């Protein structure tokens, strides 16, 4: 049975990627230590009930039974275990924490996703000030510059924009979920069909525009200004504008966009969300937001909080170039060792075959995606 926890690749690629990941982690740890964050860690194994009420994306968890018959899981997320841990301690708040660790998720087959991911992140617990979000955005900008040597695009959103808008249309929770799901999936035919029943309402024109409410902030806000929004939505948009104004003032070179038509990174987010993605890639390197109600699931009293995850594996994939050069594996007899060493020095992509026979060396070269150089025969590449 194949182990899908690790990505495919050659030994050399694994080695270079592992070194890159350690360097990335060192940079992140140094940066966060300098900003006054305290390290926090949680167990790899957690009770399944910690994650039960949250939809953690398009993946499943690794489940086991302990000696008492309870279901335990390999942690698929870091924030929820930290929330559970904080609720069981008397640590005074507010506090700024950071973590580095592996999370485990069973991704869809052939999705191209890893099942074991290294994630770093921060949790700002007990802060209701907008400064907590601004701290996260600053860290995204600074780390992207240090690790990637260029800035990434920061995409801002509002986690509860959809439920806030939809609750003024209908009290049918099932219908609200159906509309939101079609919107998030970009299933425009289904979305158009669902909203058609509201064609007589003033909100209908906004609903028609909703799937395209993303991109340049000025353009998105100009569209929203055409509609009479509820006070609650206006307040959320006002906060979003304040964030964008701050970014343009403090980080004028930072690219920023808005997306009000996509799902929040996690279901437990309640306010501003932010994601950072490399312009040459399709997925997010940084992802976070405000989650003011999360601790209430583990204790009587809730606490304001903002958190952010950093995808170490994805950053490593960007830093480590794809090695397209062909390796050369040198096959030789034991009495040709000095000749093989000399040839190894000549070839920047060379490696020694330690196989006893040429047939075994051919298999070794194939497994390493290398061309075989036979010093025992015609000294030709195969």
């Amino acid at each position: 049975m194949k182990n899908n926890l690790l990505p495919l690749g050659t030994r050399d690629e694994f080695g270079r990627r592992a070194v890159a990941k350690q360097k990335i982690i060192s940079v992140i740890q140094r940066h966060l230590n300098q900003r006054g964050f305290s390290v926090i860690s949680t167990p790899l194994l957690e009770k399944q009930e910690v994650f039960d009420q949250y939809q953690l994306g398009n993946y499943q968890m690794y489940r086991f039974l302990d000696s008492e018959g309870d279901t335990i899981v390999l942690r698929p997320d870091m924030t929820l275990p930290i929330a559970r841990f904080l609720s069981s301690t008397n640590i005074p708040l507010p506090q700024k924490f950071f973590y580095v660790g592996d999370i485990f998720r069973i991704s869809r087959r052939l999705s191209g996703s890893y099942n074991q991911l290294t994630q770093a992140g921060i949790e700002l617990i007990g802060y209701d000030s907008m400064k907590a979000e601004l701290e996260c955005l600053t860290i995204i900008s600074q780390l992207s510059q240090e690790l990637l040597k260029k800035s990434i695009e920061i995409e801002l959103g509002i986690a509860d924009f959809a439920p806030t808008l939809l609750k003024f249309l209908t009290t049918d929770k099932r219908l609200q979920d159906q509309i939101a799901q079609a919107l998030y999936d970009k299933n425009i035919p289904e979305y158009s069909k669902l909203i058609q029943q509201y064609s007589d309402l003033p909100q209908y024109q906004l609903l028609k525009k909703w799937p395209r409410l993303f991109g340049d902030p000025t353009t998105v806000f100009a569209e929203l200004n055409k509609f009479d929004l509820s006070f609650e939505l206006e307040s959320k948009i006002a906060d979003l504008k304040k964030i964008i104004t701050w970014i343009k003032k403090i980080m004028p070179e930072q690219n920023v966009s808005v997306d009000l038509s996509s799902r929040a990174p996690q279901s437990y987010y309640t306010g501003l969300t932010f994601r950072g993605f490399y312009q040459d890639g399709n997925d997010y390197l940084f992802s976070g937001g405000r989650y003011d109600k999360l601790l209430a699931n583990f204790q009587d009293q809730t606490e304001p909080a903002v958190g952010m995850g950093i995808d170490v594996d994805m950053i490593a994939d960007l830093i480590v170039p794809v090695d397209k050069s062909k390796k050369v594996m040198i096959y030789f007899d034991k009495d040709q060792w000095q000749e093989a060493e000399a040839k190894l020095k000549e070839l920047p992509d060379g490696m020694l075959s330690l196989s006893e026979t040429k047939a075994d060396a051919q298999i070794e070269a194939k497994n390493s995606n290398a061309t075989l150089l036979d010093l025992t025969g015609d000294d030709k590449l195969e």
Side-chain angles (χ1 to χ4, degrees):
M1 184 175 182
K2 292 184 178 180
N3 181 355
N4 291 323
L5 286 179
L6 294 173
L8 298 175
T10 66
R11 293 182 182 89
D12 185 55
E13 288 170 342
F14 278 137
R16 290 186 294 113
R17 194 168 180 276
V19 171
K21 284 178 64 173
Q22 287 304 313
K23 289 182 178 179
I24 293 166
I25 290 170
S26 295
V27 169
I28 292 172
Q29 290 174 327
R30 172 175 49 78
H31 189 88
L32 297 176
N33 276 319
Q34 290 176 346
R35 297 186 75 88
F37 285 76
S38 301
V39 67
I40 189 171
S41 61
T42 62
L44 281 174
L45 296 175
E46 287 280 353
K47 296 283 188 181
Q48 179 176 295
E49 61 196 40
V50 173
F51 308 96
D52 269 349
Q53 59 183 307
Y54 293 99
Q55 297 177 354
L56 295 176
N58 195 16
Y59 53 83
Q60 296 178 321
M61 296 181 283
Y62 288 94
R63 294 178 171 87
F64 310 90
L65 291 178
D66 64 13
S67 58
E68 298 177 356
D70 294 327
T71 302
I72 57 176
V73 299
L74 285 172
R75 63 187 182 203
D77 175 83
M78 295 291 283
T79 297
L80 289 165
I82 290 173
R84 189 267 311 154
F85 169 77
L86 291 175
S87 67
S88 63
T89 63
N90 293 318
I91 296 176
L93 300 177
Q95 293 281 353
K96 297 185 289 185
F97 299 106
F98 81 90
Y99 60 83
V100 178
D102 287 347
I103 58 176
F104 303 84
R105 302 169 175 177
I106 304 176
S107 301
R108 289 180 295 110
R109 189 179 181 186
L110 304 179
S111 67
S113 301
Y114 301 129
N115 287 353
Q116 179 178 350
L117 304 168
T118 301
Q119 186 181 85
I122 61 176
E123 307 292 348
L124 303 163
I125 312 295
Y127 293 94
D128 58 5
S129 168
M130 189 182 288
K131 288 182 179 180
E133 284 93 336
L134 303 183
E135 171 76 342
C136 291
L137 297 176
T138 300
I139 291 171
I140 290 176
S141 180
Q142 292 178 352
L143 281 178
S144 63
Q145 287 284 357
E146 185 168 359
L147 292 170
L148 302 171
K149 309 307 178 187
K150 62 185 296 186
S151 64
I152 62 177
E153 181 165 330
I154 294 178
E155 180 186 271
L156 302 176
I158 300 172
D160 53 353
F161 184 88
T164 302
L165 175 57
L166 292 173
K167 73 181 182 181
F168 288 102
L169 294 178
T170 176
T171 57
D172 186 337
K173 185 64 169 62
R174 181 171 175 272
L175 181 55
Q176 291 177 11
D177 293 341
Q178 288 177 332
I179 295 174
Q181 188 66 50
L183 175 74
Y184 298 149
D185 292 343
K186 309 305 179 189
N187 186 347
I188 303 304
E190 177 66 15
Y191 175 78
S192 300
K193 178 182 176 182
L194 289 169
I195 66 171
Q196 183 61 39
Q197 59 191 296
Y198 303 111
S199 58
D200 294 334
L201 297 181
Q203 294 95 332
Y204 182 65
Q205 293 304 316
L206 172 57
L207 292 175
K208 289 175 63 177
K209 290 283 187 180
W210 196 0
R212 295 184 294 277
L213 288 180
F214 63 89
D216 175 65
T218 302
T219 303
V220 173
F221 294 145
E223 285 292 337
L224 289 173
N225 286 338
K226 299 176 183 178
F227 306 105
D228 185 19
L229 302 178
S230 68
F231 174 80
E232 189 174 359
L233 280 179
E234 288 283 11
S235 178
K236 295 178 186 297
I237 296 298
D239 286 342
L240 186 57
K241 289 179 177 179
K242 289 178 184 177
I243 295 284
I244 293 173
T245 299
W246 179 89
I247 291 175
K248 291 181 177 179
K249 178 180 179 181
I250 304 300
M251 301 181 288
E253 302 301 318
Q254 177 63 59
N255 294 324
V256 62
S257 61
V258 168
D259 189 349
L260 300 178
S261 63
S262 295
R263 189 192 311 274
Q266 297 289 2
S267 61
Y268 48 75
Y269 286 148
T270 58
L272 180 80
T273 64
F274 41 85
R275 294 184 266 208
F277 63 92
Y278 200 59
Q279 293 174 345
D280 298 335
N282 296 320
D283 219 333
Y284 298 101
L285 308 177
F286 304 84
S287 179
R290 178 167 286 279
Y291 52 92
D292 285 345
K293 299 177 181 178
L294 185 60
L295 265 66
N297 294 288
F298 303 99
Q299 62 186 31
D300 293 334
Q301 181 179 342
T302 188
E303 294 288 349
V306 176
M308 176 180 72
I310 305 170
D311 193 327
V312 175
D313 290 278
M314 192 166 296
I315 296 175
D317 288 341
L318 290 172
I319 291 177
V320 178
V322 177
D323 190 1
K324 297 183 179 179
S325 62
K326 191 74 171 179
K327 304 294 182 182
V328 178
M329 182 161 286
I330 305 166
Y331 173 65
F332 59 100
D333 288 333
K334 289 187 286 294
D335 58 2
Q336 293 179 297
W337 200 287
Q338 289 182 327
E339 182 183 353
E341 287 286 353
K343 186 64 68 174
L344 183 64
K345 291 180 181 179
E346 293 177 11
L347 300 172
D349 297 310
M351 64 182 82
L352 297 181
S353 168
L354 303 182
S355 296
E356 185 66 27
T357 68
K358 182 176 179 180
D360 289 341
Q362 289 172 330
I363 295 173
E364 184 184 4
K366 182 179 180 181
N367 291 341
S368 298
N369 193 30
T371 300
L372 186 66
L373 174 60
D374 181 9
L375 299 186
T376 66
D378 297 329
D379 193 30
K380 293 182 178 180
L381 294 175
E382 294 188 356

